C-alpha cells in the first residue's frame, strides 16, 4: 500500500509540476488553438515518458487508474469524437440540447461541475411530486458516470464521479460537454447517441427534428428502456409533456411553441403516432 501511495504521489507531483513549469503568457486570439494543440502534445509526451517508468498500467490498482484518467480524459474522449455517428451541436436542432438541459439540468451553464443546491432542490421537487421528476446530478456528472465509471451505487464511485466531473469541466467547455453527452448517452432501442436515436425513432437526421420530437429525445435518458416510445408511447408522451413544461418554465420556449408542440402528431418509425 505504501508503494502505491508513493507512486500516486509521484504522478500527481509530476503532473502538477509540469503544468506550473509549462505555463506561458496568455496567447493572442489567432494563436489560441495552436498554443492549446502544442501544449496538449507536450503534456502527452511528458506523460508518456513518465508512465514508461512505472509498471504496466493494467496492473495499477483502481484508485491509480482513476487518478491517471482524471489527467488524461482525452484518451477516451478523442476516439469518441472520431466516430462516424458524431454530431456537433451545430449539426442538430437546437431544441435538442435545450430540451435536455430543461429537464435534466436547467442551470447547466451557470453552475460548476457539481451543484449542491441542485441536489437539494431535486429532492424537494421529487418529494412534492410523489415521484422522481428531477435528478440531482449535473449533466457533467451524468456524462462522467456513463463514459468513465460503472453504475455501482457506492460512496467510492460517487467520490470518483465528483473528482472526474471537476477535472472534465476544467478541461472542456460547457458546449463541448453537452455535445459529448448527446453523442454518448443511451436513448433506448439500441440507440447510442443522438444520431442513432433520431434515426431509430423518427427516421431523420438530428438537424431535422421538431420541438416535439426533440422533447421525446430529451425524455429518454431518465429511463431509456422503459420509456422507449416504440414500446411505451403513453409513458414517453407523459415524460415529453413534462419536458415541454420545463422548457416553458425556464424560458426556452413560449406559450405558442408549447401549444404547437403539444398538438403535433409525432409519427414513429414503427407507424405509431404519439
Amino acid at each position: 500500500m505504501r508503494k502505491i501511495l508513493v507512486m500516486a504521489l509521484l504522478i500527481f507531483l509530476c503532473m502538477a509540476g509540469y503544468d506550473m513549469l509549462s505555463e506561458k503568457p496568455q496567447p493572442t486570439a489567432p494563436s489560441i488553438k495552436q498554443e492549446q494543440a502544442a501544449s496538449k502534445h507536450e503534456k502527452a509526451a511528458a506523460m508518456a515518458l513518465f508512465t514508461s517508468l512505472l509498471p504496466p498500467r493494467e496492473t495499477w490498482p483502481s484508485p491509480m487508474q482513476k487518478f491517471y484518467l482524471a489527467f488524461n480524459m482525452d484518451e477516451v474522449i478523442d476516439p469518441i469524437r472520431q466516430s462516424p455517428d458524431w454530431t456537433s451541436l451545430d449539426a442538430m436542432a437546437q431544441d435538442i440540447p435545450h430540451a435536455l438541459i430543461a429537464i435534466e439540468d436547467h442551470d447547466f451553464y451557470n453552475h460548476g461541475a457539481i451543484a449542491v443546491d441542485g441536489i437539494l432542490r431535486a429532492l424537494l421537487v421529487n418529494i412534492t411530486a410523489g415521484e422522481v421528476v428531477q435528478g440531482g446530478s449535473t449533466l457533467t456528472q451524468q456524462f462522467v458516470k456513463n463514459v468513465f465509471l460503472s453504475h455501482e451505487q457506492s460512496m467510492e464511485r460517487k467520490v470518483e464521479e465528483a473528482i472526474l466531473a471537476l477535472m472534465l469541466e476544467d478541461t472542456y467547455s460547457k458546449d463541448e460537454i453537452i455535445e459529448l453527452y448527446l453523442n454518448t448517452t443511451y436513448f433506448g432501442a439500441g440507440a447510442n447517441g443522438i444520431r442513432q436515436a433520431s434515426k431509430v425513432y423518427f427516421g431523420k437526421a438530428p438537424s431535422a427534428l421538431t420541438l416535439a420530437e426533440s422533447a421525446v429525445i430529451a425524455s429518454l435518458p431518465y429511463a431509456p428502456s422503459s420509456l422507449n416510445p416504440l414500446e411505451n408511447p403513453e409513458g414517453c408522451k407523459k415524460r415529453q409533456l413534462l419536458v415541454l413544461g420545463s422548457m416553458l418554465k425556464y424560458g426556452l420556449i413560449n406559450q405558442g411553441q408549447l401549444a404547437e408542440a403539444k398538438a403535433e402528431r409525432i409519427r414513429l418509425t414503427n407507424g405509431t403516432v404519439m
Side-chain angles (χ1 to χ4, degrees), residues 114-192:
I114 303 165
V116 176
D117 59 333
I119 295 173
L120 297 176
R121 182 171 54 249
L123 179 61
L124 292 174
V125 169
N126 295 335
I127 291 174
T128 302
E131 61 178 322
V132 179
V133 175
Q134 293 183 9
S137 296
T138 65
L139 283 172
T140 303
Q141 288 174 274
Q142 291 181 41
F143 171 76
V144 163
K145 179 180 68 177
N146 292 339
V147 174
F148 297 113
L149 303 171
S150 71
H151 287 256
E152 172 194 3
Q153 294 296 322
S154 68
M155 182 59 66
E156 179 184 355
R157 204 273 294 161
K158 291 300 291 184
V159 170
E160 292 172 348
E161 177 186 296
I163 293 171
L164 290 173
L166 290 167
M167 295 296 290
L168 184 74
E169 288 218 357
D170 190 55
T171 307
Y172 296 90
S173 70
K174 290 286 191 176
D175 280 351
E176 288 177 311
I177 292 170
I178 193 69
E179 191 175 73
L180 285 163
Y181 183 103
L182 285 164
N183 278 278
T184 55
T185 294
Y186 181 62
F187 289 100
N192 287 292

Side-chain angles (χ1 to χ4, degrees), residues 9 58 81 136 146 208:
L9 180 61
E58 58 269 19
R81 286 171 156 169
N146 292 339

Side-chain angles (χ1 to χ4, degrees), residues 14-189:
C14 180
M15 291 175 176
Y18 179 78
D19 282 341
M20 292 175 60
L21 292 173
S22 61
E23 286 182 357
K24 300 178 178 64
Q26 187 69 23
T28 57
S31 65
I32 288 177
K33 288 187 176 180
Q34 291 92 329
E35 290 284 346
Q36 289 176 337
S39 176
K40 183 176 178 180
H41 177 75
E42 291 169 359
K43 290 182 179 180
M47 177 54 64
L49 176 62
F50 182 74
T51 53
S52 69
L53 304 175
L54 299 175
R57 226 173 84 198
E58 58 269 19
T59 66
W60 298 0
S62 178
M64 282 187 63
Q65 295 273 7
K66 297 300 190 303
F67 190 87
Y68 175 89
L69 179 61
F71 286 89
N72 296 275
M73 291 183 175
D74 55 318
E75 291 186 5
V76 175
I77 289 175
D78 285 352
I80 292 173
R81 286 171 156 169
Q82 301 305 314
S83 166
D85 285 331
W86 175 263
T87 305
S88 68
L89 285 181
D90 292 339
M92 65 180 77
Q94 290 309 293
D95 285 325
I96 297 173
H98 291 168
L100 179 70
I101 288 169
I103 193 63
E104 293 289 340
D105 187 0
H106 75 272
D107 214 24
F108 174 69
Y109 281 98
N110 297 318
H111 61 58
I114 303 165
V116 176
D117 59 333
I119 295 173
L120 297 176
R121 182 171 54 249
L123 179 61
L124 292 174
V125 169
N126 295 335
I127 291 174
T128 302
E131 61 178 322
V132 179
V133 175
Q134 293 183 9
S137 296
T138 65
L139 283 172
T140 303
Q141 288 174 274
Q142 291 181 41
F143 171 76
V144 163
K145 179 180 68 177
N146 292 339
V147 174
F148 297 113
L149 303 171
S150 71
H151 287 256
E152 172 194 3
Q153 294 296 322
S154 68
M155 182 59 66
E156 179 184 355
R157 204 273 294 161
K158 291 300 291 184
V159 170
E160 292 172 348
E161 177 186 296
I163 293 171
L164 290 173
L166 290 167
M167 295 296 290
L168 184 74
E169 288 218 357
D170 190 55
T171 307
Y172 296 90
S173 70
K174 290 286 191 176
D175 280 351
E176 288 177 311
I177 292 170
I178 193 69
E179 191 175 73
L180 285 163
Y181 183 103
L182 285 164
N183 278 278
T184 55
T185 294
Y186 181 62
F187 289 100

Side-chain angles (χ1 to χ4, degrees), residues 184-228:
T184 55
T185 294
Y186 181 62
F187 289 100
N192 287 292
I194 185 61
R195 183 175 295 277
Q196 290 184 18
S198 299
K199 181 178 180 181
V200 165
Y201 294 123
F202 309 112
K204 298 179 178 181
S207 59
L209 264 56
T210 65
L211 169 58
E213 292 166 341
S214 298
V216 169
I217 292 293
S219 303
L220 299 174
Y222 169 67
S225 297
S226 62
L227 291 178
N228 171 354

